[in-house]
Amino acid sequence: MSQERRQAPTGVKGPKNIQQHLQEGEVVLFSAPGFWDNGEVNYSTACELVLTNQRIIGYYTKSFPREHLFLDSLPLANLTQVSLRQKNYEPLFRELLVSDGTRKIYMRTSRRHIERLYALLSETTGKSEDTTQDTATEDSSTPHESPSYARQKVRTSFESSSLGITVLFVGGLLLEIIGVVLWRTQGAAIGTPLCIAGLVAVTTALLVRRQRTLS
């Protein structure tokens, strides 16, 4: 990466206190709210998606009610794969997959932000190749020795999509609440089936979410 490229972008401050965690010569190029999924937990972390001239970072910090810092990153020099993924049943968000051949990070944010992030990643790493793929599986590409860029149209069933999981989880919680209310007002014979159905729905949503993370 040329010195001109490393220093050209200016005026992007990034999220609160991010400067304290940057390396020498590191400059923030892009920052936007989104979701970061590194596969280490069964949920996505709401945070700032930050691109610098050296790393792609998931970051947030808070001081109340107690101090907490979340910071996860991948060096741009280690990237082997960058895929802009458009999934059916996810009309509001777009997903960006970045990988170093060992770890896979999934980032989700609005279409405008994800397109900007994708373009800046390509520009910063000096890659212009952009192919379009259509796949019915979650992970169809293999690591490359140098960064490869692609746009993917991912076909998934509604049940295994993020929207489907959310609907199933929220619906299960509502059934639980309604079941408890009916249990107290109408009796256990009416409330128990709803509580059981809600528990099954919530459990199924968590299991599907875990399976997606591990796949």
PDB file of all heavy atoms in Angstrom, residues 34-39 41-47 60 70 95 106-108 162 209 212-213:
ATOM      1  N   GLY A  34     -23.289  -0.851  13.197  1.00  0.00           N
ATOM      2  CA  GLY A  34     -23.684  -2.106  12.576  1.00  0.00           C
ATOM      3  C   GLY A  34     -23.567  -3.256  13.546  1.00  0.00           C
ATOM      4  O   GLY A  34     -23.579  -3.069  14.769  1.00  0.00           O
ATOM      5  N   PHE A  35     -23.456  -4.460  13.003  1.00  0.00           N
ATOM      6  CA  PHE A  35     -23.369  -5.676  13.813  1.00  0.00           C
ATOM      7  C   PHE A  35     -22.134  -6.462  13.396  1.00  0.00           C
ATOM      8  O   PHE A  35     -21.857  -6.626  12.205  1.00  0.00           O
ATOM      9  CB  PHE A  35     -24.630  -6.525  13.643  1.00  0.00           C
ATOM     10  CG  PHE A  35     -25.877  -5.855  14.138  1.00  0.00           C
ATOM     11  CD1 PHE A  35     -26.646  -5.083  13.279  1.00  0.00           C
ATOM     12  CD2 PHE A  35     -26.280  -5.991  15.461  1.00  0.00           C
ATOM     13  CE1 PHE A  35     -27.800  -4.461  13.733  1.00  0.00           C
ATOM     14  CE2 PHE A  35     -27.427  -5.371  15.922  1.00  0.00           C
ATOM     15  CZ  PHE A  35     -28.188  -4.601  15.061  1.00  0.00           C
ATOM     16  N   TRP A  36     -21.429  -6.989  14.387  1.00  0.00           N
ATOM     17  CA  TRP A  36     -20.167  -7.710  14.191  1.00  0.00           C
ATOM     18  C   TRP A  36     -20.346  -9.125  14.718  1.00  0.00           C
ATOM     19  O   TRP A  36     -20.737  -9.340  15.849  1.00  0.00           O
ATOM     20  CB  TRP A  36     -19.071  -6.986  14.950  1.00  0.00           C
ATOM     21  CG  TRP A  36     -17.686  -7.566  14.875  1.00  0.00           C
ATOM     22  CD1 TRP A  36     -17.181  -8.578  15.629  1.00  0.00           C
ATOM     23  CD2 TRP A  36     -16.613  -7.132  14.032  1.00  0.00           C
ATOM     24  NE1 TRP A  36     -15.867  -8.808  15.302  1.00  0.00           N
ATOM     25  CE2 TRP A  36     -15.489  -7.940  14.328  1.00  0.00           C
ATOM     26  CE3 TRP A  36     -16.490  -6.138  13.058  1.00  0.00           C
ATOM     27  CZ2 TRP A  36     -14.266  -7.780  13.692  1.00  0.00           C
ATOM     28  CZ3 TRP A  36     -15.268  -5.983  12.415  1.00  0.00           C
ATOM     29  CH2 TRP A  36     -14.180  -6.788  12.728  1.00  0.00           C
ATOM     30  N   ASP A  37     -20.061 -10.112  13.890  1.00  0.00           N
ATOM     31  CA  ASP A  37     -20.204 -11.522  14.277  1.00  0.00           C
ATOM     32  C   ASP A  37     -18.906 -12.238  13.949  1.00  0.00           C
ATOM     33  O   ASP A  37     -18.576 -12.437  12.775  1.00  0.00           O
ATOM     34  CB  ASP A  37     -21.371 -12.151  13.522  1.00  0.00           C
ATOM     35  CG  ASP A  37     -21.693 -13.564  14.000  1.00  0.00           C
ATOM     36  OD1 ASP A  37     -20.866 -14.148  14.728  1.00  0.00           O
ATOM     37  OD2 ASP A  37     -22.765 -14.082  13.638  1.00  0.00           O
ATOM     38  N   ASN A  38     -18.160 -12.630  14.985  1.00  0.00           N
ATOM     39  CA  ASN A  38     -16.884 -13.315  14.770  1.00  0.00           C
ATOM     40  C   ASN A  38     -16.973 -14.815  15.007  1.00  0.00           C
ATOM     41  O   ASN A  38     -15.958 -15.510  14.997  1.00  0.00           O
ATOM     42  CB  ASN A  38     -15.791 -12.715  15.663  1.00  0.00           C
ATOM     43  CG  ASN A  38     -16.136 -12.805  17.150  1.00  0.00           C
ATOM     44  OD1 ASN A  38     -17.062 -13.508  17.541  1.00  0.00           O
ATOM     45  ND2 ASN A  38     -15.389 -12.088  17.966  1.00  0.00           N
ATOM     46  N   GLY A  39     -18.191 -15.326  15.251  1.00  0.00           N
ATOM     47  CA  GLY A  39     -18.390 -16.751  15.416  1.00  0.00           C
ATOM     48  C   GLY A  39     -17.999 -17.288  16.776  1.00  0.00           C
ATOM     49  O   GLY A  39     -18.132 -18.487  17.028  1.00  0.00           O
ATOM     50  N   VAL A  41     -19.354 -16.235  19.713  1.00  0.00           N
ATOM     51  CA  VAL A  41     -20.531 -16.254  20.568  1.00  0.00           C
ATOM     52  C   VAL A  41     -21.752 -16.509  19.701  1.00  0.00           C
ATOM     53  O   VAL A  41     -21.682 -16.434  18.470  1.00  0.00           O
ATOM     54  CB  VAL A  41     -20.693 -14.927  21.349  1.00  0.00           C
ATOM     55  CG1 VAL A  41     -19.561 -14.753  22.357  1.00  0.00           C
ATOM     56  CG2 VAL A  41     -20.715 -13.738  20.395  1.00  0.00           C
ATOM     57  N   ASN A  42     -22.891 -16.780  20.337  1.00  0.00           N
ATOM     58  CA  ASN A  42     -24.099 -17.136  19.602  1.00  0.00           C
ATOM     59  C   ASN A  42     -24.963 -15.931  19.246  1.00  0.00           C
ATOM     60  O   ASN A  42     -26.167 -16.060  19.057  1.00  0.00           O
ATOM     61  CB  ASN A  42     -24.931 -18.135  20.410  1.00  0.00           C
ATOM     62  CG  ASN A  42     -24.200 -19.447  20.610  1.00  0.00           C
ATOM     63  OD1 ASN A  42     -23.422 -19.866  19.763  1.00  0.00           O
ATOM     64  ND2 ASN A  42     -24.444 -20.100  21.736  1.00  0.00           N
ATOM     65  N   TYR A  43     -24.362 -14.778  19.155  1.00  0.00           N
ATOM     66  CA  TYR A  43     -25.117 -13.579  18.800  1.00  0.00           C
ATOM     67  C   TYR A  43     -24.180 -12.579  18.147  1.00  0.00           C
ATOM     68  O   TYR A  43     -22.951 -12.666  18.273  1.00  0.00           O
ATOM     69  CB  TYR A  43     -25.774 -12.961  20.036  1.00  0.00           C
ATOM     70  CG  TYR A  43     -24.782 -12.651  21.154  1.00  0.00           C
ATOM     71  CD1 TYR A  43     -24.097 -11.444  21.193  1.00  0.00           C
ATOM     72  CD2 TYR A  43     -24.547 -13.576  22.162  1.00  0.00           C
ATOM     73  CE1 TYR A  43     -23.196 -11.162  22.209  1.00  0.00           C
ATOM     74  CE2 TYR A  43     -23.642 -13.308  23.192  1.00  0.00           C
ATOM     75  CZ  TYR A  43     -22.978 -12.095  23.201  1.00  0.00           C
ATOM     76  OH  TYR A  43     -22.075 -11.827  24.203  1.00  0.00           O
ATOM     77  N   SER A  44     -24.758 -11.633  17.431  1.00  0.00           N
ATOM     78  CA  SER A  44     -23.990 -10.555  16.829  1.00  0.00           C
ATOM     79  C   SER A  44     -23.857  -9.407  17.822  1.00  0.00           C
ATOM     80  O   SER A  44     -24.773  -9.141  18.602  1.00  0.00           O
ATOM     81  CB  SER A  44     -24.668 -10.061  15.551  1.00  0.00           C
ATOM     82  OG  SER A  44     -24.767 -11.102  14.606  1.00  0.00           O
ATOM     83  N   THR A  45     -22.732  -8.732  17.787  1.00  0.00           N
ATOM     84  CA  THR A  45     -22.480  -7.613  18.695  1.00  0.00           C
ATOM     85  C   THR A  45     -22.782  -6.299  17.994  1.00  0.00           C
ATOM     86  O   THR A  45     -22.223  -6.018  16.923  1.00  0.00           O
ATOM     87  CB  THR A  45     -21.018  -7.619  19.173  1.00  0.00           C
ATOM     88  OG1 THR A  45     -20.741  -8.851  19.848  1.00  0.00           O
ATOM     89  CG2 THR A  45     -20.760  -6.460  20.130  1.00  0.00           C
ATOM     90  N   ALA A  46     -23.678  -5.516  18.565  1.00  0.00           N
ATOM     91  CA  ALA A  46     -23.960  -4.189  18.035  1.00  0.00           C
ATOM     92  C   ALA A  46     -22.787  -3.273  18.387  1.00  0.00           C
ATOM     93  O   ALA A  46     -22.433  -3.126  19.560  1.00  0.00           O
ATOM     94  CB  ALA A  46     -25.253  -3.637  18.630  1.00  0.00           C
ATOM     95  N   CYS A  47     -22.171  -2.675  17.373  1.00  0.00           N
ATOM     96  CA  CYS A  47     -20.975  -1.878  17.616  1.00  0.00           C
ATOM     97  C   CYS A  47     -20.736  -0.952  16.429  1.00  0.00           C
ATOM     98  O   CYS A  47     -21.557  -0.870  15.513  1.00  0.00           O
ATOM     99  CB  CYS A  47     -19.762  -2.793  17.826  1.00  0.00           C
ATOM    100  SG  CYS A  47     -19.347  -3.802  16.372  1.00  0.00           S
ATOM    101  N   TYR A  60     -16.764  -0.937  20.393  1.00  0.00           N
ATOM    102  CA  TYR A  60     -17.589  -0.027  21.182  1.00  0.00           C
ATOM    103  C   TYR A  60     -17.045   0.033  22.596  1.00  0.00           C
ATOM    104  O   TYR A  60     -16.373  -0.882  23.082  1.00  0.00           O
ATOM    105  CB  TYR A  60     -19.078  -0.416  21.166  1.00  0.00           C
ATOM    106  CG  TYR A  60     -19.466  -1.539  22.117  1.00  0.00           C
ATOM    107  CD1 TYR A  60     -19.688  -1.280  23.475  1.00  0.00           C
ATOM    108  CD2 TYR A  60     -19.655  -2.840  21.666  1.00  0.00           C
ATOM    109  CE1 TYR A  60     -20.064  -2.295  24.348  1.00  0.00           C
ATOM    110  CE2 TYR A  60     -20.030  -3.850  22.523  1.00  0.00           C
ATOM    111  CZ  TYR A  60     -20.233  -3.568  23.864  1.00  0.00           C
ATOM    112  OH  TYR A  60     -20.591  -4.569  24.727  1.00  0.00           O
ATOM    113  N   PHE A  70     -15.288  -3.396  23.858  1.00  0.00           N
ATOM    114  CA  PHE A  70     -15.295  -4.466  22.865  1.00  0.00           C
ATOM    115  C   PHE A  70     -14.428  -4.016  21.703  1.00  0.00           C
ATOM    116  O   PHE A  70     -14.651  -2.943  21.122  1.00  0.00           O
ATOM    117  CB  PHE A  70     -16.713  -4.756  22.378  1.00  0.00           C
ATOM    118  CG  PHE A  70     -16.755  -5.708  21.203  1.00  0.00           C
ATOM    119  CD1 PHE A  70     -16.660  -7.076  21.403  1.00  0.00           C
ATOM    120  CD2 PHE A  70     -16.866  -5.233  19.900  1.00  0.00           C
ATOM    121  CE1 PHE A  70     -16.690  -7.959  20.328  1.00  0.00           C
ATOM    122  CE2 PHE A  70     -16.898  -6.101  18.816  1.00  0.00           C
ATOM    123  CZ  PHE A  70     -16.808  -7.474  19.041  1.00  0.00           C
ATOM    124  N   GLU A  95     -24.692  -7.726   4.150  1.00  0.00           N
ATOM    125  CA  GLU A  95     -23.676  -8.391   4.954  1.00  0.00           C
ATOM    126  C   GLU A  95     -22.354  -8.408   4.218  1.00  0.00           C
ATOM    127  O   GLU A  95     -22.304  -8.671   3.011  1.00  0.00           O
ATOM    128  CB  GLU A  95     -24.123  -9.817   5.268  1.00  0.00           C
ATOM    129  CG  GLU A  95     -23.154 -10.592   6.149  1.00  0.00           C
ATOM    130  CD  GLU A  95     -23.679 -11.967   6.491  1.00  0.00           C
ATOM    131  OE1 GLU A  95     -23.489 -12.891   5.658  1.00  0.00           O
ATOM    132  OE2 GLU A  95     -24.295 -12.124   7.561  1.00  0.00           O
ATOM    133  N   TYR A 106     -18.362 -11.601  10.018  1.00  0.00           N
ATOM    134  CA  TYR A 106     -19.548 -11.154   9.295  1.00  0.00           C
ATOM    135  C   TYR A 106     -19.981  -9.805   9.862  1.00  0.00           C
ATOM    136  O   TYR A 106     -20.184  -9.673  11.070  1.00  0.00           O
ATOM    137  CB  TYR A 106     -20.686 -12.167   9.432  1.00  0.00           C
ATOM    138  CG  TYR A 106     -20.369 -13.523   8.851  1.00  0.00           C
ATOM    139  CD1 TYR A 106     -19.731 -14.498   9.616  1.00  0.00           C
ATOM    140  CD2 TYR A 106     -20.726 -13.835   7.540  1.00  0.00           C
ATOM    141  CE1 TYR A 106     -19.447 -15.750   9.083  1.00  0.00           C
ATOM    142  CE2 TYR A 106     -20.442 -15.087   6.996  1.00  0.00           C
ATOM    143  CZ  TYR A 106     -19.805 -16.036   7.780  1.00  0.00           C
ATOM    144  OH  TYR A 106     -19.525 -17.263   7.251  1.00  0.00           O
ATOM    145  N   MET A 107     -20.125  -8.812   8.987  1.00  0.00           N
ATOM    146  CA  MET A 107     -20.570  -7.480   9.398  1.00  0.00           C
ATOM    147  C   MET A 107     -21.869  -7.140   8.675  1.00  0.00           C
ATOM    148  O   MET A 107     -21.987  -7.377   7.466  1.00  0.00           O
ATOM    149  CB  MET A 107     -19.496  -6.441   9.065  1.00  0.00           C
ATOM    150  CG  MET A 107     -18.226  -6.582   9.879  1.00  0.00           C
ATOM    151  SD  MET A 107     -16.874  -5.571   9.232  1.00  0.00           S
ATOM    152  CE  MET A 107     -16.418  -6.563   7.802  1.00  0.00           C
ATOM    153  N   ARG A 108     -22.820  -6.582   9.413  1.00  0.00           N
ATOM    154  CA  ARG A 108     -24.098  -6.204   8.823  1.00  0.00           C
ATOM    155  C   ARG A 108     -24.406  -4.751   9.153  1.00  0.00           C
ATOM    156  O   ARG A 108     -24.277  -4.325  10.303  1.00  0.00           O
ATOM    157  CB  ARG A 108     -25.220  -7.110   9.326  1.00  0.00           C
ATOM    158  CG  ARG A 108     -25.193  -8.498   8.736  1.00  0.00           C
ATOM    159  CD  ARG A 108     -26.360  -9.343   9.202  1.00  0.00           C
ATOM    160  NE  ARG A 108     -26.234  -9.672  10.627  1.00  0.00           N
ATOM    161  CZ  ARG A 108     -25.515 -10.684  11.077  1.00  0.00           C
ATOM    162  NH1 ARG A 108     -24.844 -11.457  10.247  1.00  0.00           N
ATOM    163  NH2 ARG A 108     -25.453 -10.940  12.363  1.00  0.00           N
ATOM    164  N   SER A 162     -31.855 -14.418   9.115  1.00  0.00           N
ATOM    165  CA  SER A 162     -31.845 -13.587  10.320  1.00  0.00           C
ATOM    166  C   SER A 162     -33.246 -13.091  10.660  1.00  0.00           C
ATOM    167  O   SER A 162     -33.635 -13.049  11.833  1.00  0.00           O
ATOM    168  CB  SER A 162     -30.897 -12.397  10.126  1.00  0.00           C
ATOM    169  OG  SER A 162     -29.571 -12.832   9.984  1.00  0.00           O
ATOM    170  N   ARG A 209     -29.760 -20.257  15.305  1.00  0.00           N
ATOM    171  CA  ARG A 209     -28.741 -19.194  15.320  1.00  0.00           C
ATOM    172  C   ARG A 209     -27.364 -19.773  15.599  1.00  0.00           C
ATOM    173  O   ARG A 209     -26.367 -19.400  14.968  1.00  0.00           O
ATOM    174  CB  ARG A 209     -29.104 -18.158  16.398  1.00  0.00           C
ATOM    175  CG  ARG A 209     -28.082 -17.023  16.520  1.00  0.00           C
ATOM    176  CD  ARG A 209     -28.117 -16.164  15.269  1.00  0.00           C
ATOM    177  NE  ARG A 209     -27.143 -15.098  15.359  1.00  0.00           N
ATOM    178  CZ  ARG A 209     -25.863 -15.220  14.992  1.00  0.00           C
ATOM    179  NH1 ARG A 209     -25.426 -16.380  14.524  1.00  0.00           N
ATOM    180  NH2 ARG A 209     -25.028 -14.205  15.085  1.00  0.00           N
ATOM    181  N   ARG A 212     -26.063 -21.612  12.497  1.00  0.00           N
ATOM    182  CA  ARG A 212     -25.576 -20.668  11.479  1.00  0.00           C
ATOM    183  C   ARG A 212     -24.198 -20.146  11.829  1.00  0.00           C
ATOM    184  O   ARG A 212     -23.327 -19.982  10.979  1.00  0.00           O
ATOM    185  CB  ARG A 212     -26.531 -19.479  11.355  1.00  0.00           C
ATOM    186  CG  ARG A 212     -27.810 -19.763  10.617  1.00  0.00           C
ATOM    187  CD  ARG A 212     -28.548 -18.473  10.349  1.00  0.00           C
ATOM    188  NE  ARG A 212     -27.713 -17.570   9.571  1.00  0.00           N
ATOM    189  CZ  ARG A 212     -27.923 -16.252   9.489  1.00  0.00           C
ATOM    190  NH1 ARG A 212     -28.898 -15.698  10.158  1.00  0.00           N
ATOM    191  NH2 ARG A 212     -27.155 -15.511   8.732  1.00  0.00           N
ATOM    192  N   THR A 213     -23.974 -19.894  13.121  1.00  0.00           N
ATOM    193  CA  THR A 213     -22.688 -19.361  13.552  1.00  0.00           C
ATOM    194  C   THR A 213     -21.572 -20.375  13.358  1.00  0.00           C
ATOM    195  O   THR A 213     -20.456 -20.031  12.952  1.00  0.00           O
ATOM    196  CB  THR A 213     -22.740 -18.965  15.046  1.00  0.00           C
ATOM    197  OG1 THR A 213     -23.777 -17.978  15.228  1.00  0.00           O
ATOM    198  CG2 THR A 213     -21.418 -18.383  15.515  1.00  0.00           C
TER     199      THR A 213
END
